[in-house]
Every structure is written in structure tokens, then in C-alpha cells.
Amino acid sequence: MRVWALPLALVALVSCVTQSVPRRQQARVQIVPSRPVVVDPVALAKRLRSMQHGWPASRKFDCARLKCVALTFDDGPGEHTGRLLDMLRQRDVRATFFVIGQMVAADKGGRTVRRIVDDGHEIGNHSWSHPPLAELPHEALKKELKHTENIVQRLTGVRMRVMRPPYGSTDDDVAAETRREGLAQILWNVDTLDWQDRVATTVAKRAGAAKPGSIVLLHDIHRSTVDAVPAMLDTLGRKGYTFVTVSELYGKTPAPGRTYTAR
């Protein structure tokens, strides 16, 4: 587990909280509190990290030199996402999760989507209800993106910077709207077809064929896909791959509106 150093500003914030709260209580109810409010600085740092995009800064990898691969998981959060997060945490692997708004709304109080953020994974917009975006009228397209953006930001404090159009369905109108929303379009160059062939060994083998700079398409709503993850990580790990998020793959947040398939 990585422990982040607290910046001076955060230390000052903790000091401010522990000193000012008793004074406000005394002024309001005219009593002197028996002891000051205690703030756990580690817990506060974790909460701030989940609320602020890019804080602390993403891990730095030179994927022009390293053999990097970005594992991406679509359509969740679902019933198998928690187990997947356990696996990734145990191996200190980061991935990118493209979430569906309706699935986020069905999650228990946003517990899973918060954990995605708290564990250091990248989170992206995969629309509200998974329609082919290029077939929608403009207002419907806008709502699909905006509704998901709003619920994720409300639950996690994170403003998403990447999205994946369902079915890879995009056109000039989708590109223009994603640009207005500040979202880059992330496609893929390795399709595991895990939605079609729900056999863990098959999924792991297809993912293991990734090349340096690949973006691998997976779906965390399928048990067989989550079952495939250990073998997938073992295979790619033996080949010397570094597992990164999509933004880490490019060394910066991808440009809004632009479409990416691999590094």
C-alpha cells in the first residue's frame, strides 16, 4: 500500500480544523468543549485524493521506453467488480474502468465506484444506458454523457476526463459533444471478445497477445472475465509488461474529443 506524503497546505488544514471547531462551538452554545475535534490526517488525505482529479499526481511511467499495457473494464460496476478490485489491489495493478450510469445508480450507495477511485484506478464515462451514441439525436447524446458525469462526480468528487462510446459507435457529432464535455474517446486495439466467449482461459490468452502500448477491452460484469485476470496478469507480467491506466499510457490526460486506440 502506498502512503502519500501530506503537503504543507494539508497539514495546515488539519491544524485549522482541530483548532477552530472548538471556538465555533463555544461561540454558538456558550460552553467550553472538553477536548478538541481529532482529525485523522491519513483518512483526510485519502478523501481529498478521491475528490480531486489529479491529486496526488498520477504515477509517472515512460511508456515510450517501457512495455506498457492498459487494461480497461467496461459496463460495470457489477457483482464481480469487488472481487476484481481485490485482485488488482493485491498485485498493485491499476486499470481504467468505463462505467455505465445506470450501473452506478444501482450500486449500493456508490460503494464500488468510490472504491475504484480510492484504489487509484482511472474512471471513465461509458454513457448512462449503453446505446450506440452515433445513432442518437443530439439532446439524447448529451443526456447520456451528462447524467453519468453527474452521478459519478456526486458520488466520488471526480470529474471524468475519458469516455468510451458503447460498441465503439462514434462520429463527428459524438466527437464534438465529447470535446464540449472535456472527454477523450478511448477505443481499443485488443478485443478479448469476453462477452461472446465466456471462457476464462480463452479470455486470458487473447489478452496475453497484447503488444506494447495496447489498450485491452474487457468487461467486469462477466464472472469468466474476472476469473481470467490472474492468468492474464501472470502472462503479461512474465513478458515484462507494466500495467498502467489509459492516461498513464500517454503520460498525460488524453485530449478531449480525440479518439485513441493504442499508444
Side-chain angles (χ1 to χ4, degrees):
M1 180 179 295
R2 183 173 286 101
V3 178
W4 298 97
L6 294 179
L8 291 177
L10 182 53
V11 174
L13 173 59
V14 174
S15 175
C16 177
V17 170
T18 58
Q19 294 175 13
S20 62
V21 170
R23 288 199 296 270
R24 288 198 299 270
Q25 289 179 339
Q26 184 176 9
R28 184 173 60 251
V29 299
Q30 297 181 344
I31 62 172
V32 178
S34 58
R35 58 184 177 181
V37 175
V38 178
V39 176
D40 180 351
V42 175
L44 180 56
K46 184 177 181 181
R47 181 59 182 159
L48 288 174
R49 175 160 60 90
S50 72
M51 292 175 63
Q52 300 180 35
H53 176 74
W55 188 91
S58 297
R59 305 170 303 164
K60 297 298 181 183
F61 298 101
D62 184 357
C63 290
R65 295 175 55 252
L66 296 172
K67 293 171 64 176
C68 295
V69 62
L71 302 180
T72 64
F73 295 91
D74 289 11
D75 294 358
E79 62 177 313
H80 306 296
T81 306
R83 185 163 62 95
L84 170 60
L85 290 170
D86 290 341
M87 293 176 182
L88 298 178
R89 177 185 284 180
Q90 289 168 1
R91 296 181 181 233
D92 195 26
V93 169
R94 303 291 187 274
T96 301
F97 289 79
F98 292 99
V99 298
I100 293 177
Q102 288 182 342
M103 298 294 282
V104 174
D107 189 28
K108 297 178 181 178
R111 180 177 60 186
T112 305
V113 75
R114 286 194 184 101
R115 184 180 169 191
I116 289 171
V117 172
D118 287 344
D119 281 3
H121 302 290
E122 186 165 27
I123 192 165
N125 193 324
H126 198 40
S127 80
W128 180 261
S129 61
H130 206 273
L133 298 182
E135 298 178 11
L136 298 182
H138 176 72
E139 283 304 312
L141 164 61
K142 185 175 180 178
K143 288 179 180 178
E144 284 286 333
L145 297 177
K146 202 67 178 176
H147 286 349
T148 301
E149 180 63 52
N150 289 343
I151 192 171
V152 169
Q153 189 163 18
R154 177 171 59 82
L155 289 171
T156 70
V158 170
R159 176 74 165 86
M160 294 182 288
R161 304 297 177 180
V162 293
M163 65 83 68
R164 173 166 285 160
Y167 314 105
S169 174
T170 186
D171 59 12
D172 290 344
D173 290 338
V174 175
E177 186 57 34
T178 55
R179 190 178 303 111
R180 281 189 289 269
E181 294 296 329
L183 297 166
Q185 298 188 81
I186 309 299
L187 299 182
W188 59 88
N189 70 320
V190 176
D191 189 347
T192 61
L193 298 175
D194 60 338
W195 58 272
Q196 174 180 294
D197 300 316
R198 300 187 189 181
V199 179
T201 53
T202 301
V203 173
K205 182 178 180 180
R206 287 174 180 158
K211 303 298 182 184
S214 286
I215 299 175
V216 181
L217 173 62
L218 299 147
H219 298 81
D220 52 312
I221 58 171
H222 302 311
R223 179 188 299 274
S224 51
T225 297
V226 176
D227 290 343
V229 168
M232 187 188 313
L233 297 179
D234 288 342
T235 298
L236 293 171
R238 283 193 297 268
K239 293 180 179 180
Y241 279 89
T242 297
F243 300 101
V244 297
T245 67
V246 166
S247 291
E248 289 171 345
L249 183 67
Y250 293 98
K252 60 182 179 181
T253 304
R258 183 176 168 185
T259 300
Y260 298 79
T261 57
R263 191 181 192 284

